[in-house]
Amino acid sequence: MHAPSRNDPTTPSPLAGFTVGVTAARRADELGALLERRGATVLHAPALRIVPLADDGELLDATKQLIDHAPDVVVATTAIGFRGWIEAADGWGYGEALLRCLRGVELLARGPKVKGAVRAAGLTEEWSPSSESMAEVLDRLLGEGVDGRRVALQLHGEPLPGFVEALRAGGAEVVMVPVYRWLPPEDLTPVDRLLDATVGRAVDALTFTSAPAAASLLARAEERGMTPELLSALRHDVLTACVGPVTALPLQSLGIDTVQPERFRLGPLVQVLCRELPSRARALTVAGHRVEIRGHAVLVDDELRAVPPAGMSLLGALARRPGWVVARAELLRALPGAGSDEHAVESAMARLRTALGTPKLIQTVVKRGYRLAIDPSSGSKYAG
């Protein structure tokens, strides 16, 4: 991952101060770089690993089956999957035979990127939907009639049970072409670290670029006995961003709200985060300064100030009751692992004031506790 940068040092990056979890295995570096260029701190934990195409016996068997008995229709669903299929077949010595087979069938390409991969292979698609929607592909096939037809479906890692069932109900014989398969990661440590961070609210958002990644993360949480805690975090505190509606299905089935871009691409996914995360940040006018509380940092008059976790816990407790005095005992309960010594509050408060760079933002109320110095003109009620 690359270090975050800002073109204009006087304007904070939209994701500065936020931590975003990336679950992708494929194109994770690209997504991470896009996030970091906009100021985010990225926690990467691939929730899956992809079986290399050339090592996958199922793909070899499906390829030979199609060459020996050509289908009527082939549906290409992803550019990387279609390219990989052709390359794998070439490596096995079946490349030319597969291309001859594909030239003689009705070839449908889901979207412009897939169409580009088809044409790069020297083939021509018969049709491609403008919506990039598998539902539109299904409508076309059923409208043509599939009874007695053989349809080869290049799987793309996403669950498509409704698609396959509808074709079979219409009388089609469906041949699955598994161009890549998802398996759990060999090293579960990063996934466990991401789960712990999510449950602990140390990440502000999780991103998903495939339904299997979402399902895999949920399955690992179940194995660790932390499903209730994870669901609570995702339903109430941690933003869940998915690249598209199919990716969101495993999460939405558990009552987790998700945000998605209109175009199912990484760039628009990052743009959604740039819009959503700052809108969720708490902004207050304190002692004449604009203070915006982000995930692990605070904007003070548009200057990003890094704040330690203990300080963020205290600031969050004060901001939940802006202007009101919050007792030391209550602030102590907000400190993670602070024990019973109220001096821990004083030490953490001193570090918080230093981190904010403007000590007068937080007032000490003798023998009572601390309060944010909310301006009376801001309209907030407060107790002296």
Side-chain angles (χ1 to χ4, degrees), residues 54 96 178 205 293 320 352:
E96 282 302 320
I293 303 171
R320 280 191 289 274
L352 171 60

Side-chain angles (χ1 to χ4, degrees), residues 275-315:
R275 181 176 67 249
E276 292 287 336
L277 282 177
S279 73
R280 293 157 66 101
R282 185 75 184 275
L284 299 166
T285 301
V286 185
H289 300 273
R290 183 183 185 278
V291 175
E292 182 178 312
I293 303 171
R294 295 192 166 191
H296 60 263
V298 179
L299 286 177
V300 181
D301 297 329
D302 286 337
E303 181 181 354
L304 190 69
R305 312 285 302 195
V307 175
M312 290 302 297
S313 297
L314 292 180
L315 187 58

